[in-house]
Amino acid sequence: MSTLIFVADIQLPTSDDTNFARATSAAIHPCANRFLLRTYRKVYEFRAAPGAAFETAFAATPVSLTDTVEGQGEAIEYQADGAGYFTMSESPVPTRLKRVARQ
């Protein structure tokens, strides 16, 4: 059994399009030193400082990464070796898994 604990509120960059600030998915890097956060329109990576605890990534300035420009991006996950990440939309059907190489 696991118990969730509150770590932080996250502030995303804002724009007139509220879909930039609505989180739809997130994933923790295999090395546990960063995480991805996906919105309908953008992909952000929050990185802990070298040697710092994972939780410090929540206070970091998000880095904007390449998005796969899906109409309704709902899923994201790191590649097992951390060399990239995958995204998927819930539409159109059939859905396509897309890979983005590390930047």
Side-chain angles (χ1 to χ4, degrees):
M1 177 180 202
S2 297
T3 301
L4 298 175
I5 60 168
F6 175 80
V7 176
D9 286 319
I10 296 175
Q11 295 297 316
L12 295 175
T14 59
S15 78
D16 292 338
D17 183 345
T18 59
N19 286 318
F20 277 91
R22 292 187 178 159
T24 60
S25 185
I28 298 173
H29 191 274
C31 294
N33 61 354
R34 64 187 72 184
F35 67 94
L36 294 171
L37 191 137
R38 170 114 196 231
T39 72
Y40 285 121
R41 305 270 193 259
K42 297 287 289 179
V43 172
Y44 299 103
E45 188 171 55
F46 291 77
R47 302 171 182 167
F54 170 74
E55 293 82 7
T56 63
F58 288 89
T61 301
V63 177
S64 183
L65 299 182
T66 301
D67 190 9
T68 53
V69 192
E70 295 158 325
Q72 197 165 351
E74 296 282 350
I76 197 159
E77 181 59 76
Y78 280 103
Q79 188 171 315
D81 64 3
Y85 55 93
F86 299 93
T87 67
M88 184 179 280
S89 178
E90 69 176 32
S91 64
V93 176
T95 58
R96 305 262 192 266
L97 182 66
K98 297 180 181 180
R99 180 182 179 277
V100 178
R102 281 297 298 159
Q103 302 169 341

